[in-house]
Amino acid sequence: MSSGLPDIGQVSTTQIGGLQIRLARAGRSDGIPILLTSPWPESIYCFRGILPAITELGPLILVDLPGFGRSESRPDVMSPEAMGDFVIKLAEHLGVGRLHAVGPDVGTAALLFAAARKQDLFESVVVGAGGTSAELAGPGLKELIESPAGAFATAEGGDIGAGFVTQSAAIKTPAPVLEDYRLSSAGRRFEEAAQYVRAYPRDLPRLKALLPSIETPVLVLAGRNDALVPPPNGQLLVDSLPHCRQTLLDGGHLIWEDAAEAYAADLAQWVQKGYRSV
């Protein structure tokens, strides 16, 4: 590719709910689709290391959720509960009636809200490294949750986002990918995305009340040494969901990048048969 970005499939944009959304399609043409939502402050290119191991499992749909990656933002969708509704709209727009959904980081709460609203959409859900309780957040995340609106309005968001990845990643991020991450948070975009986690104190207690009603099999896949979103966040899901298992991998917050091979292996095993035994 002329941009130097890795091949993650056919990348395009589409309008959903009045927002321009970036997505990529890869994998097979048959089978149950696998939806992967990008974490913050990265983008769909964060999945570059796991795609080779899952490309034969079914159709792959990688999406930058509104306000994250290179997708357009709008204030009314920047909360976990509203984003859950958007995930349902996304599936309807793509004509997908049943899917496996993978949502690390900010995707965790959004996918669980969506599963609570429309359980027949999900064959299974894979989450992790996403806050499930404001009280269980690590210091860095807690600082973001408690930051006042506008705290990053005058900062260059791209520098914050790219800087976080550079400092947190155990492996060097290719320059074109890091540039995509920088553009994902550029200007005011980091401030706008922060509104999502500022909604945690309101939305996460609502989600916790819904968890016992979610019959969908859920895998929590996270880093054992995640200081931003410590493992007790995943344990809360294990304790509250009827069908849930947590697997901790050696690594920190960016486990899908730092331990891509192990992450992909667990994800593949789960999608192929593991979810049926939970």
Side-chain angles (χ1 to χ4, degrees), residues 192-208:
E192 293 165 356
Q195 285 296 102
Y196 185 91
V197 296
R198 290 179 185 133
Y200 279 9
R202 180 196 69 207
D203 282 15
L204 295 185
R206 296 180 186 176
L207 177 61
K208 186 177 180 181

Side-chain angles (χ1 to χ4, degrees), residues 153-234:
T154 59
E156 172 43 57
D159 292 342
I160 301 174
F164 170 79
V165 173
T166 299
Q167 292 168 12
S168 303
I171 58 173
K172 184 175 173 61
T173 305
V177 174
L178 192 64
E179 175 64 9
D180 192 73
Y181 294 170
R182 189 189 69 77
L183 292 171
S184 296
S185 294
R188 287 182 54 93
R189 282 182 63 84
F190 188 90
E191 164 62 28
E192 293 165 356
Q195 285 296 102
Y196 185 91
V197 296
R198 290 179 185 133
Y200 279 9
R202 180 196 69 207
D203 282 15
L204 295 185
R206 296 180 186 176
L207 177 61
K208 186 177 180 181
L210 293 171
L211 293 177
S213 69
I214 299 175
E215 294 293 333
T216 307
V218 176
L219 171 65
V220 180
L221 200 50
R224 184 175 285 107
N225 304 314
D226 188 343
L228 197 68
V229 185
N233 285 272

Side-chain angles (χ1 to χ4, degrees), residues 6 32 65 78 93 108 115-116 119 123 138 150 154 168-169 176 185 188-189 209 230 240 243 269:
I32 300 174
L65 292 172
M78 295 310 292
H93 176 85
T108 294
Q119 299 205 37
E123 186 78 5
T154 59
S168 303
S185 294
R188 287 182 54 93
R189 282 182 63 84
S240 304
H243 310 289
Q269 194 278 337

Side-chain angles (χ1 to χ4, degrees), residues 80 84 107-118 122 125-128 131-132 207 210-211 214 216-218 220 237 241:
T108 294
L111 291 186
L112 292 171
F113 266 117
R117 292 263 163 84
K118 192 170 185 181
F122 298 93
V125 171
V126 180
V127 295
T132 58
L207 177 61
L210 293 171
L211 293 177
I214 299 175
T216 307
V218 176
V220 180
L237 298 180
L241 288 162

